[in-house]
Amino acid sequence: NDLSYAFFSMNSIDAWKSRWVESKHKSDYGKFVHTAGKFYGDVERNKGLQTSQDARFYSASSRFESVSNKDQALVIQFTVKHEQNIDCGGGYIKLFPADLNQEEMHGDSAYNIMFGPDICGPGTKKVHVIFNYKGKNHLINKDIRCKDDEYTHLYTLIVNPGNTYEVKIDNKKVESGSLEEDFDFLPPKKIKDPDAEKPDDWDEKENIDDPEDKKPDDWDVAENIPDPDAKKPDDWDDEMDGEWEPPMVTNPDYKGEWKPKQIDNPAYKGKWVHPEIDNPEYTADPEIYQYASMGVIGLDLWQVKSGTIFDNFLITNDPKLAEEVGNETWGATKDPEKKMKDSLEEEERKKRDAEEVNIKEEDEDKEERDEEEYYDEEEEEGETDSKLKDEL
């Protein structure tokens, strides 16, 4: 079961219909359609599976020969295109064990790995990297930002023997590290010694008040004093206005609260560090990366606004091969795709400008007609007045 090469291109509708199974677990799953979308680099090569109904769950999967990644790299790669300018929805894949019942696949079906972009509003724009380890799903402890534009992007996850991983977007590394350090698969190696306590005489104060520093006798003065330049108004009536009091002003001699100067604490021992011991519950596992059975790749996700296109699914043990496939698929069509989108947007802009000109001309014509009608009515009223005068 050497994992060498499993490529799922959606270029033809026959490949989609023959290789993919839509789940029947629920009757209201959203439907996938086979299309290259509104804009593309190559109308045939860019055809993929597109979500087509808003506010739906989607569930479809494709089976490949059951394999294990023991003692070899595992590479998962695919392309995602949110051409609908997605506001909330998933763009990730799930890798399942070979014993998955595809027609009963659903959100709670046990999977090995979940990987790919997830967007929901301005606050959530992340790349999910989730591994199932001993029956529990573990999320990465790092925040990896996904692409949130409308173009096609290539997502790659590489899992290596030795428990390391790497995440790439558009064939460029965006994150990497240790599975043990960046996920909570295992208990910590070290824990605080439960028998250790900070000594009562341990002094953590770096500085103390100078015991020989004394407050000056003339220090204590009021913060505010009556304005010495203020004078009682000539028209002030004590009986009517009450006893006159001068306004208060800031005392120029006020020095604030007195505090003794600080000196080094001769008893300072530094910050007490709780000693650690080996965690008796920790046991190293060199095979965290490994899955004994992988045989199904699936799309199990929710989308508020549909329109995402998935394509170029690749499962391999060769990171270099994955990079080459990425360049031959996504890399070969990304520039023409952008060019076509720019062209469509330019056509839309010209169309809007033309419509605005037409509306402006129609408004001007209407104003001219209204003005002519107004003068015609004025002329008729003038003739009527003239006849009335003649009759009178």
Side-chain angles (χ1 to χ4, degrees), residues 375-391:
Y375 285 117
D376 289 344
E377 291 175 357
E378 287 286 310
E379 188 175 343
E380 290 176 2
E381 290 177 0
E383 291 176 357
T384 301
D385 290 344
S386 179
K387 290 179 180 180
L388 287 173
K389 285 180 181 180
D390 292 344
E391 292 176 0

Side-chain angles (χ1 to χ4, degrees), residues 144-194:
I144 308 174
R145 187 174 178 85
C146 67
K147 300 292 185 179
D148 61 353
D149 55 46
E150 300 172 32
Y151 298 104
T152 300
H153 291 286
L154 181 73
Y155 287 85
T156 309
L157 173 64
I158 304 171
V159 186
N160 297 303
N163 289 338
T164 62
Y165 73 93
E166 180 178 332
V167 175
K168 299 168 72 176
I169 300 179
D170 296 343
N171 263 342
K172 294 181 180 179
K173 183 173 74 172
V174 295
E175 192 57 81
S176 63
S178 163
L179 293 178
E180 185 171 342
E181 293 175 1
D182 295 344
F183 295 81
D184 296 328
F185 296 117
L186 305 175
K189 291 181 179 180
K190 298 283 186 178
I191 59 172
K192 292 180 179 179
D193 185 351

Side-chain angles (χ1 to χ4, degrees), residues 13-295:
I13 193 168
D14 291 337
W16 143 237
K17 291 296 184 181
S18 64
R19 298 195 64 172
W20 288 78
V21 176
E22 294 188 90
S23 175
K24 298 178 182 178
H25 182 77
K26 292 171 60 178
S27 61
D28 59 348
Y29 280 127
K31 297 299 181 183
F32 286 102
V33 295
H34 184 246
T35 178
K38 300 174 183 176
F39 57 92
Y40 37 78
D42 184 297
V43 67
E44 294 301 327
R45 294 179 65 185
N46 290 146
K47 286 182 178 178
L49 300 186
Q50 183 183 51
T51 56
S52 66
Q53 295 170 286
D54 294 345
R56 293 292 185 93
F57 286 100
Y58 290 84
S59 187
S61 61
S62 183
R63 184 173 295 279
F64 55 93
E65 182 181 357
S66 177
V67 293
S68 169
N69 64 323
K70 179 177 174 61
D71 298 330
Q72 58 184 325
L74 168 64
V75 185
I76 304 170
Q77 182 170 281
F78 63 104
T79 56
V80 182
K81 175 187 177 187
H82 293 309
E83 73 168 21
Q84 76 277 40
N85 191 17
I86 192 169
D87 52 359
C88 188
Y92 42 80
I93 62 94
K94 290 181 178 179
L95 193 63
F96 294 92
D99 61 0
L100 174 74
N101 182 346
Q102 292 176 263
E103 291 191 349
E104 284 299 318
M105 186 182 81
H106 55 88
D108 293 328
S109 297
Y111 60 85
N112 293 332
I113 297 173
M114 174 173 151
F115 170 64
D118 189 19
I119 296 175
C120 194
T124 301
K125 295 182 179 181
K126 62 164 58 173
V127 177
H128 281 303
V129 185
I130 304 176
F131 292 89
N132 185 285
Y133 179 72
K134 295 185 176 180
K136 183 179 178 181
N137 295 330
H138 295 266
L139 284 67
I140 191 170
N141 295 329
K142 295 179 177 178
D143 186 21
I144 308 174
R145 187 174 178 85
C146 67
K147 300 292 185 179
D148 61 353
D149 55 46
E150 300 172 32
Y151 298 104
T152 300
H153 291 286
L154 181 73
Y155 287 85
T156 309
L157 173 64
I158 304 171
V159 186
N160 297 303
N163 289 338
T164 62
Y165 73 93
E166 180 178 332
V167 175
K168 299 168 72 176
I169 300 179
D170 296 343
N171 263 342
K172 294 181 180 179
K173 183 173 74 172
V174 295
E175 192 57 81
S176 63
S178 163
L179 293 178
E180 185 171 342
E181 293 175 1
D182 295 344
F183 295 81
D184 296 328
F185 296 117
L186 305 175
K189 291 181 179 180
K190 298 283 186 178
I191 59 172
K192 292 180 179 179
D193 185 351
D195 297 326
E197 294 183 357
K198 183 172 71 172
D200 295 336
D201 61 349
W202 190 279
D203 197 334
E204 294 184 341
K205 293 180 181 179
E206 189 172 352
N207 298 298
I208 59 172
D209 295 342
D210 184 352
E212 298 181 1
D213 190 20
K214 305 297 182 183
K215 181 170 68 173
D217 295 335
D218 61 349
W219 188 276
D220 289 327
V221 294
E223 182 177 357
N224 298 301
I225 59 173
D227 186 352
D229 297 327
K231 294 182 179 181
K232 179 179 177 181
D234 295 335
D235 59 350
W236 188 275
D237 189 331
D238 289 342
E239 291 184 2
M240 295 293 293
D241 302 325
E243 182 181 355
W244 180 81
E245 294 181 355
M248 303 297 284
V249 296
T250 301
N251 185 354
D253 295 327
Y254 178 69
K255 300 177 182 179
E257 181 185 358
W258 182 83
K259 293 181 179 179
K261 66 180 181 181
Q262 298 288 293
I263 61 171
D264 293 338
N265 182 2
Y268 175 66
K269 295 183 178 180
K271 188 75 175 178
W272 186 75
V273 179
H274 200 126
E276 292 184 330
I277 60 172
D278 291 337
N279 185 356
E281 296 182 1
Y282 171 80
T283 302
D285 185 354
E287 298 181 345
I288 294 175
Y289 77 96
Q290 178 184 314
Y291 291 98
S293 170
M294 297 176 289

